[in-house]
Amino acid sequence: MGESVQMEVVGSEPLSPTKKALLKIKALQAELDGFKARRQEAIAIVGIGCRFPGGVASPQAYWQLLEQGIDAIGEMPTDRWDMAALYAEEADLPGKMYTRHGGFLDQVDRFEPGFFGISPREAIYMDPKQRLLLECSWEALERAGYAPSRIAGSKTGVFIGTSDAEYINGCAFDALTEYSGVGNACSVIAGRLAYTLGVNGPALVVDTACSSSLVALSLALESLRRGESDMALAGGVGLYLSPGGFIVASQAHMLARDGRCKTFDQRADGYGRGEGCGVLVLKRLSDAEAAGDRILALLRGGAVNQDGASGGLTVPSGPAQVAVIRQALANAAVEPGQVDYVEAHGTGTPLGDPIEVGALAEVYGAGREATAPLLIGSVKTNIGHLEAAAGIAGLIKVVLALQHEVLPAHLNCPQPSSHIPWGQWPIQVNHAARPWPRGERPRRAGVSSFGFSGTNAHVIVEEAPLPSERPPLAQERPRHLLALSAKSRPALLELVGRYRERLAQGEEPLADLCYTA
């Protein structure tokens, strides 16, 4: 059979081969221009879900912890493992840990499987990280104004940073079942979320150790800009469900005895472990604006690289950190002097802290006046090092600081480290909370996350554009209807309590809250 040829006509005259070729070239150019525009477009953060140490179960609670300068590090929960048998003050005893402290979540054993269509028997064999991610992602979507049940079939991507599966090793199951494999496979952490929501975008799990969640976020940005995803859930989750990680880190002398990250301080002696989950709902800026989404902040760009051959497999590389920061700025089309603050990786080690500050000084210090230094800090001084979820915890902190126009205080640093030549560089630790108001140019921050595997990530965050003014209501309503629903009476009562808290804060107009509900 011969090929069928479609003739294009203008009026009654057929197009000449030359004109047809020109039209095709123009169409290809328009497609290329659209692709370039998407590649450079900012990504909007439109929703947040989080659980962090200190009883934090919402962005509002997280901000209260940051604003009040709360140290959320405490003693290890007594129901995790037998501390009496595992603790020893000596640092080198096999099978022992020399710290009793860290940043832990409460009630990680609590879960309502029926809400997500999961049987109680299956839930028993599910890694609590899967459960926690389901809850945080659901809440993030709801805060973004999207009913999770209504995004089924959409090109929504799932990009999650996580770490080793400890649950199956730490729990003495009577017998392994058909649920054990999917319940404890790292790959299923993203897959189960996509399955539960019924979404068809990419579903990826990333494990690059401490940089996992920020690397996952970078993949989400690329997927949105390529048009592979129209919306994305990106974040990280980490829980400590067996003592093995603490024992190994103790043998390597990596942990602080008091469980606290004393980042940039003279007393820095290792990091304190923390656990938690953070999830962002992301969309292309043009799509978010067209949908009337509430935009919380913008992601201008980011970059990921690897240390390669350096001072050691787990030793941070200054040149690699310099390179990833420069690439992130280039990808974001932002100059170093246009960044006000950097949320540092900042684990609180006498080796890592000076390397990181040196890299920041080399990139961000160039041409910066000493009277307007780069401010730095790390949320690890509040909640510990969340490892796989560390980057997303720092990023959410920056988003909240932009919203509230305040940079929270960096804790545990009364005496800046003598290993860092502070006087030679235009860099300053943000020791006390300070105003961060909107000004003549957009406020911007960098967020760093460096994995002990050698994979580094850095992203550039920018304040949200001012919302366009809405036309006033033609008539103010004397009453509003707030529709509340839940799958059980206890859940409904808990929802009522959450709304009471939210209404007491008075952050949104009642009409808007009722409309969204």
Side-chain angles (χ1 to χ4, degrees):
M1 295 178 63
E3 292 184 353
S4 62
V5 179
Q6 182 179 355
M7 294 293 291
E8 299 182 52
V9 297
V10 178
S12 58
E13 295 293 326
L15 292 176
S16 68
T18 303
K19 286 187 177 180
K20 288 174 69 174
L22 287 172
L23 285 174
K24 286 183 179 179
I25 291 171
K26 286 182 179 179
L28 288 171
Q29 186 62 50
E31 187 177 341
L32 181 60
D33 291 343
F35 175 75
K36 287 181 178 178
R38 280 202 310 272
R39 294 289 296 172
Q40 296 172 351
E41 185 175 11
I43 301 301
I45 299 172
V46 298
I48 297 174
C50 61
R51 304 285 176 82
F52 295 133
V56 169
S58 68
Q60 292 76 26
Y62 191 27
W63 178 248
Q64 289 176 2
L65 178 142
L66 295 168
E67 186 180 38
Q68 296 170 20
I70 293 173
D71 178 346
I73 303 302
E75 289 198 7
M76 295 179 182
T78 56
D79 59 353
R80 297 288 179 100
W81 43 73
D82 184 1
M83 277 302 300
L86 293 171
Y87 175 76
E89 289 190 12
E90 294 83 356
D92 296 309
L93 292 181
K96 303 289 184 178
M97 63 179 81
Y98 58 77
T99 179
R100 294 176 177 270
H101 296 83
F104 292 89
L105 300 188
D106 301 324
Q107 301 181 338
V108 295
D109 58 325
R110 304 296 177 91
F111 181 64
E112 182 53 60
F115 182 88
F116 295 101
I118 297 168
S119 71
R121 185 162 178 257
E122 184 177 5
I124 290 172
Y125 291 92
M126 280 176 60
D127 188 326
K129 292 200 294 291
Q130 292 189 23
R131 309 173 198 164
L132 186 61
L133 180 65
L134 286 172
E135 293 174 347
C136 282
S137 300
W138 195 279
E139 292 166 4
L141 284 165
E142 287 191 330
R143 289 195 181 96
Y146 288 92
S149 58
R150 294 185 181 177
I151 64 171
S154 66
K155 289 201 307 181
T156 297
V158 176
F159 304 85
I160 303 300
T162 191
S163 53
D164 299 334
E166 297 183 342
Y167 183 59
I168 197 168
N169 298 322
C171 296
F173 295 129
D174 294 334
L176 297 180
T177 76
E178 66 272 25
Y179 298 125
S180 304
V182 295
N184 293 272
C186 282
S187 61
V188 176
I189 287 178
R192 187 185 293 275
L193 177 56
Y195 170 82
T196 301
L197 298 173
V199 296
N200 300 114
L204 306 178
V205 173
V206 174
D207 183 1
T208 57
C210 317
S211 59
S212 297
S213 59
L214 224 56
V215 173
L217 178 83
S218 297
L219 294 174
L221 301 187
E222 289 303 306
S223 182
L224 286 163
R225 284 173 169 159
R226 286 197 304 265
E228 191 177 54
S229 301
D230 291 331
M231 184 162 73
L233 295 168
V237 59
L239 293 172
Y240 306 129
L241 304 172
S242 76
F246 285 91
I247 293 170
V248 169
S250 292
Q251 296 298 303
H253 296 213
M254 296 168 67
L255 298 180
R257 288 186 175 275
D258 61 1
R260 289 169 173 80
C261 294
K262 296 174 279 291
T263 308
F264 309 134
D265 189 72
Q266 184 67 24
R267 301 166 302 144
D269 59 350
Y271 76 94
R273 302 185 86 194
E275 56 186 16
C277 181
V279 178
L280 302 180
V281 182
L282 308 175
K283 295 179 73 175
R284 291 182 288 270
L285 176 58
S286 58
D287 292 343
E289 290 177 330
D293 295 326
R294 183 186 178 201
I295 298 171
L296 308 178
L298 301 179
L299 296 168
R300 279 293 172 190
V304 176
N305 75 357
Q306 164 64 220
D307 287 346
S310 57
L313 177 61
T314 62
V315 176
S317 165
Q321 292 181 18
V322 167
V324 79
I325 295 169
R326 282 184 171 150
Q327 189 61 57
L329 287 165
N331 293 345
V334 169
E335 294 297 324
Q338 296 174 323
V339 174
D340 308 313
Y341 172 80
V342 168
E343 175 67 14
H345 183 61
T347 52
T349 63
L351 173 65
D353 287 359
I355 290 174
E356 181 172 10
V357 176
L360 292 173
E362 185 169 339
V363 180
Y364 286 110
R368 189 181 293 264
E369 296 293 333
T371 54
L374 174 75
L375 299 173
I376 61 174
S378 175
V379 77
K380 292 178 179 64
T381 61
N382 296 88
I383 60 176
H385 184 359
L386 273 55
E387 298 182 9
I392 206 70
L395 178 55
I396 294 174
K397 169 190 169 180
V398 170
V399 172
L400 295 174
L402 286 167
Q403 284 186 284
H404 293 274
E405 302 190 357
V406 174
L407 276 173
H410 174 91
L411 308 183
N412 298 328
C413 189
Q415 185 180 355
S417 172
S418 60
H419 301 294
I420 302 171
W422 300 102
Q424 298 176 24
W425 295 331
I427 291 182
Q428 182 179 319
V429 176
N430 192 54
H431 293 288
R434 70 176 69 204
W436 195 19
R438 285 182 179 267
E440 295 180 358
R441 64 165 176 80
R443 294 166 297 157
R444 298 187 181 94
V447 182
S448 286
S449 202
F450 308 130
F452 92 130
S453 63
T455 299
N456 310 302
H458 192 79
V459 296
I460 307 299
V461 193
E462 184 177 294
E463 67 183 19
L466 286 170
S468 57
E469 290 188 13
R470 294 175 299 178
L473 294 173
Q475 180 181 359
E476 286 293 334
R477 295 179 180 177
R479 294 179 181 85
H480 294 278
L481 177 64
L482 179 59
L484 303 179
S485 65
K487 294 189 177 182
S488 66
R489 180 175 175 79
L492 182 60
L493 293 175
E494 183 176 342
L495 183 64
V496 169
R498 289 184 181 181
Y499 267 104
R500 279 178 176 160
E501 269 183 49
R502 188 73 176 186
L503 289 167
Q505 293 168 4
E507 292 184 1
E508 294 100 359
L510 179 59
D512 287 355
L513 250 172
C514 293
Y515 175 82
T516 300

